[in-house]
Amino acid sequence: MRITNVRSGRIIRIGSACAILVILIYTLFNYSRSEAVSGELGERTFDVHPEQYKSHKDVYPVLKTELGNFEPRNKRSVNGPGEGGRPYNMPQDRANDIAEAESEYGMNIAASDDIAMNRTIPDTRLDECKYWHYPENLPSTSVIIVFHNEGFTVLMRTVHTVIDRSPPNILHEIILVDDFSDKENLKENLDNYIKRWNGKVRLIRNAQREGLIRTRSRGAQEATGEVIVFLDAHCEVNLNWLPPLLAPIYRDYRTMTVPVIDGIDHRTFEYRPVYSHGTNYRGIFEWGMLYKENEVPDREASLHKHSSEPYKSPTHAGGLFAINRKYFLKIGAYDPGLLVWGGENFELSFKIWQCGGSIEWVPCSRVGHVYRAFMPYSFGNLAKNRKGSLITINYKRVIETWFDEEHKEYFYTREPMARFLDMGDISEQVALKEKLQCKSFGWFMENVAYDVYDKFPKLPKNIHWGMVKNKASGLCMDTMGKAAPSYIGTSACHGAGNNQLFRLNEAGQLGVGERCVEADNDSVKQAICRLGTVDGPWSYDEDLNQLIHRLHSFCLTLQPHSKTLALAPCDPNNTYQKWTITHKKPNW
Ligand code: LR7
Ligand code: MN
């Protein structure tokens, strides 16, 4: 098995929703056709052309030998900064501008400012995509873009590409929702700029900061199209991106669709595919609720004749998707108790799947997204009076609503601190789940997210968790905030955050976050845990307080002079080999 990290050109960003570990499993595709049609329509209170659900005639895209009905006929070839999606390397004398832009926006807005709004980008689709013909009368669409302090040209390029690359009769409107930005050029300047679109682009502004989750729900309320498409405020949609996204929704209003996301480099604005050509991935998760991607398993791939066809996915990254507006509102939009950023992608996914809908990824719809260097904004007042990680609070709300007891246990094993977090009141979410008669999480795991277990098996219980404190020195094991793989260090014990929070499980795995502690004679490292495994070499001697590496039969030792960690022959009298692993209920 090979593990590949994609996003930002094969870089993993751990600890954010963009921390995507793509797992390449080379599967043999079995081309046998079976129709993934939902025959039963359920309650229909929507204005989504009921007659089309009675017969499935004319609602399916058809692959022909002639160019697709929505394919652009004329292609441009232009020279200039960033044209063709090529990297734009700014001259050396602009180094200060670049540094300033990067630190203010997490991306090089100075480069974006030099690049044409309607620049050309490479067509990253499979060639086959050009030959699909879609139903002509696809549903009218509102594109919703929420933003907080985004770079002006990046935000406007998102709008320009949507206008330029969407069929005008299908694109009903673009709604920009300003989540209380304070940048000057996003005020009057923006009001004036969008006038060129004669009302097709609408701008609404929050009276206070709401966070992206509530802001999106507001956009959905305000929209008047039949389908809504959400985009982050730093995207470029690719050729003929919209019809393939709409076709599955037109067929069944309970299907949410997700484009395949390409990468736009935050420094050079190079536009490039994230996945290797022709391979399909889908969204999954690990038990700490970090978003992951996995090559589409055979069980799903074998249902499709063409690799350009949409396929089912357990979840999605969060930012870019299309959904029938009334359906989105009927299933409660997003849980309004979710705060600012994170976990909403899982909430919506579990809700859709468990309550009768489905999620499809659409290989012929491609949208570029700028992966930032870091998150440039704070959570502001929204994080006030919240103890502990806001994102983990969101995860807790989602898992307490949608998981069953067995799976909740895996989450708390992986994120033991989450037990102590105050998630607020979820009774309305639970009532909604009852009302919609949603299926169990077990059903979801067995029928939809079955590939999660292959990579992230059920977790054995923790024997001990918390700070790993050395008796002789009083120091604690510490990740030192470094990215894996790297050495594990030691520092004064504080137990705050996650850097000193280790877990030893029944199967001998010593973990910290999604990493595992690995050791040889002269070093102790953290590395991403081997996929598909939950065991490890460690055991804890309760009497001698030793952490024993069973493979080497050596003990974990703090080296007195360097304060670094190593393995050494076990010596019951050596207090540098004695460790306690303890946690306290946090003092919140
Ligand atoms: O308080 C805020 N208010 C906002 O309106 C914070 C952000 N925002 C806006 C922001 O301007 C942007 O347009 O919300 C949008 C998303 O914020 P980002 O771009 O900072 O998020 P992200 O790209 O780092 O994170 C991903 O996970 C988020 C979890 O809540 C959202 O779902 C993002 O939409 C999502 N992005 C994607 O899925 C794009 C693909 C990246 C990956 C993986
Ligand atoms: Mn984003």
Side-chain angles (χ1 to χ4, degrees):
M1 185 190 300
R2 205 177 102 198
I3 303 162
T4 305
N5 302 317
V6 295
R7 295 302 186 227
S8 353
R10 317 217 163 249
I11 292 170
I12 349 174
R13 290 170 52 197
I14 289 165
S16 82
C18 279
I20 299 169
L21 184 61
V22 165
I23 305 139
L24 280 178
I25 354 157
Y26 293 100
T27 46
L28 283 174
F29 281 66
N30 171 10
Y31 292 110
S32 74
R33 175 77 173 148
S34 98
E35 301 280 72
V37 182
S38 69
E40 196 252 304
L41 303 179
E43 182 202 353
R44 298 225 43 263
T45 51
F46 307 102
D47 56 348
V48 282
H49 314 308
E51 68 278 9
Q52 268 135 17
Y53 297 98
K54 295 207 183 93
S55 98
H56 291 102
K57 249 195 255 159
D58 306 328
V59 284
Y60 277 98
V62 189
L63 187 60
K64 299 186 183 173
T65 48
E66 78 223 43
L67 205 60
N69 55 339
F70 285 102
E71 275 304 302
R73 262 43 189 190
N74 307 314
K75 298 222 171 115
R76 294 186 303 137
S77 169
V78 191
N79 275 324
E83 289 295 340
R86 285 181 291 276
Y88 173 46
N89 292 303
M90 296 179 75
Q92 270 303 319
D93 62 2
R94 302 282 307 276
N96 281 346
D97 297 345
I98 299 171
E100 214 171 277
E102 286 276 0
S103 78
E104 186 173 349
Y105 294 96
M107 61 178 89
N108 184 0
I109 293 298
S112 171
D113 290 349
D114 286 358
I115 296 173
M117 286 292 172
N118 65 344
R119 70 154 168 176
T120 52
I121 48 175
D123 183 353
T124 49
R125 299 171 300 170
L126 281 175
D127 196 53
E128 194 171 89
C129 292
K130 296 177 200 151
Y131 300 94
W132 281 101
H133 290 247
Y134 297 96
E136 289 286 343
N137 55 338
L138 290 169
S140 74
T141 300
S142 300
V143 172
I144 300 170
I145 301 165
V146 306
F147 65 95
H148 175 74
N149 283 342
E150 292 281 346
F152 184 84
T153 50
V154 169
L155 173 64
M156 284 302 100
R157 190 171 297 105
T158 310
V159 175
H160 274 276
T161 61
V162 171
I163 297 269
D164 290 350
R165 301 200 180 108
S166 312
N169 55 330
I170 295 175
L171 180 67
H172 174 66
E173 61 185 346
I174 299 177
I175 300 184
L176 302 174
V177 195
D178 176 5
D179 187 16
F180 210 58
S181 301
D182 50 28
K183 292 201 189 301
E184 268 318 304
N185 66 350
L186 293 173
K187 295 182 177 166
E188 247 171 87
N189 193 27
L190 183 57
D191 294 317
N192 290 332
Y193 192 94
I194 63 171
K195 284 185 184 147
R196 72 190 60 205
W197 289 300
N198 302 318
K200 192 143 183 166
V201 181
R202 289 203 278 144
L203 172 59
I204 53 184
R205 298 188 196 265
N206 289 344
Q208 56 177 30
R209 179 90 181 273
E210 298 284 0
L212 77 94
I213 303 173
R214 288 180 201 152
T215 306
R216 274 196 206 142
S217 294
R218 175 166 184 217
Q221 291 286 356
E222 301 268 351
T224 52
E226 188 175 320
V227 167
I228 48 183
V229 178
F230 292 102
L231 295 177
D232 275 10
H234 32 257
C235 289
E236 285 172 72
V237 301
N238 212 317
L239 299 175
N240 201 4
W241 71 295
L242 189 56
L245 273 189
L246 297 178
I249 304 174
Y250 179 66
R251 193 183 73 218
D252 184 338
Y253 68 83
R254 296 163 302 187
T255 303
M256 169 185 137
T257 55
V258 183
V260 170
I261 305 173
D262 291 323
I264 302 174
D265 189 277
H266 65 82
R267 179 164 282 261
T268 64
F269 281 75
E270 179 184 8
Y271 186 108
R272 60 183 171 232
V274 158
Y275 310 92
S276 55
H277 198 66
T279 47
N280 287 330
Y281 286 81
R282 63 183 207 161
I284 59 169
F285 50 87
E286 56 86 55
W287 297 113
M289 302 318 290
L290 296 177
Y291 174 72
K292 303 288 174 185
E293 291 184 354
N294 188 18
E295 191 164 345
V296 175
D298 197 37
R299 182 167 155 189
E300 173 60 28
S302 64
L303 301 174
H304 304 283
K305 191 169 169 196
H306 305 284
S307 44
S308 58
E309 282 174 41
Y311 53 85
K312 299 208 173 346
S313 175
T315 187
H316 70 133
L320 289 48
F321 64 97
I323 191 166
N324 176 286
R325 174 176 171 270
K326 288 192 177 166
Y327 176 61
F328 181 67
L329 296 176
K330 184 188 172 185
I331 60 173
Y334 289 119
D335 165 8
L338 293 175
L339 303 161
V340 198
W341 191 105
E344 89 293 344
N345 53 332
F346 299 126
E347 196 242 348
L348 187 60
S349 305
F350 300 151
K351 185 151 69 180
I352 288 176
W353 275 115
Q354 287 175 243
C355 311
S358 67
I359 300 175
E360 293 187 7
W361 282 31
V362 183
C364 290
S365 177
R366 310 282 294 230
V367 178
H369 168 263
V370 182
Y371 292 90
R372 304 185 207 253
F374 66 98
M375 191 183 263
Y377 49 81
S378 81
F379 290 174
N381 285 340
L382 294 161
K384 257 199 197 141
N385 308 321
R386 293 285 166 172
K387 310 290 185 184
S389 153
L390 213 115
I391 298 168
T392 315
I393 293 175
N394 284 355
Y395 294 160
K396 182 169 178 176
R397 279 186 80 83
V398 175
I399 76 108
E400 283 294 337
T401 306
W402 297 101
F403 278 29
D404 54 24
E405 294 311 313
E406 179 198 344
H407 294 92
K408 279 180 199 172
E409 217 33 59
Y410 304 143
F411 172 69
Y412 290 119
T413 298
R414 169 67 177 74
E415 273 298 338
M417 278 307 213
R419 282 200 199 274
F420 303 116
L421 294 170
D422 175 9
M423 64 174 172
D425 181 6
I426 58 163
S427 53
E428 280 188 25
Q429 305 312 307
V430 175
L432 182 80
K433 187 178 169 184
E434 293 286 303
K435 189 181 127 205
L436 298 173
Q437 298 184 335
C438 306
K439 297 189 188 90
S440 69
F441 195 73
W443 174 90
F444 172 74
M445 288 303 296
E446 245 168 65
N447 294 282
V448 183
Y450 41 83
D451 44 338
V452 168
Y453 291 133
D454 298 343
K455 305 296 163 323
F456 307 107
K458 304 179 173 193
L459 290 181
K461 286 196 175 2
N462 295 328
I463 303 175
H464 295 291
W465 66 271
M467 288 182 283
V468 185
K469 184 176 180 177
N470 181 261
K471 187 164 183 197
S473 65
L475 296 173
C476 276
M477 280 174 68
D478 197 311
T479 64
M480 313 306 278
K482 283 193 197 138
S486 57
Y487 294 114
I488 293 183
T490 55
S491 68
C493 301
H494 54 71
N498 293 325
N499 290 355
Q500 295 188 346
L501 205 152
F502 289 76
R503 312 173 311 269
L504 177 64
N505 77 15
E506 286 172 345
Q509 189 178 75
L510 183 61
V512 51
E514 64 171 331
R515 305 128 184 227
C516 282
V517 180
E518 293 177 358
D520 53 37
N521 280 2
D522 42 36
S523 74
V524 176
K525 288 185 186 137
Q526 47 178 335
I528 300 285
C529 299
R530 240 173 346 115
L531 290 168
T533 63
V534 290
D535 59 342
W538 300 97
S539 67
Y540 186 68
D541 186 315
E542 306 279 346
D543 300 321
L544 296 174
N545 299 124
Q546 289 168 329
L547 264 164
I548 301 156
H549 193 289
R550 292 189 298 237
L551 218 62
H552 302 288
S553 301
F554 273 19
C555 279
L556 181 72
T557 304
L558 184 89
Q559 294 171 307
H561 299 296
S562 59
K563 304 280 187 274
T564 56
L565 298 168
L567 291 181
C570 297
D571 168 3
N573 300 318
N574 184 347
T575 53
Y576 285 96
Q577 292 186 3
K578 291 189 185 294
W579 303 88
T580 54
I581 311 176
T582 52
H583 64 270
K584 286 191 291 235
K585 189 175 183 309
N587 188 17
W588 288 335

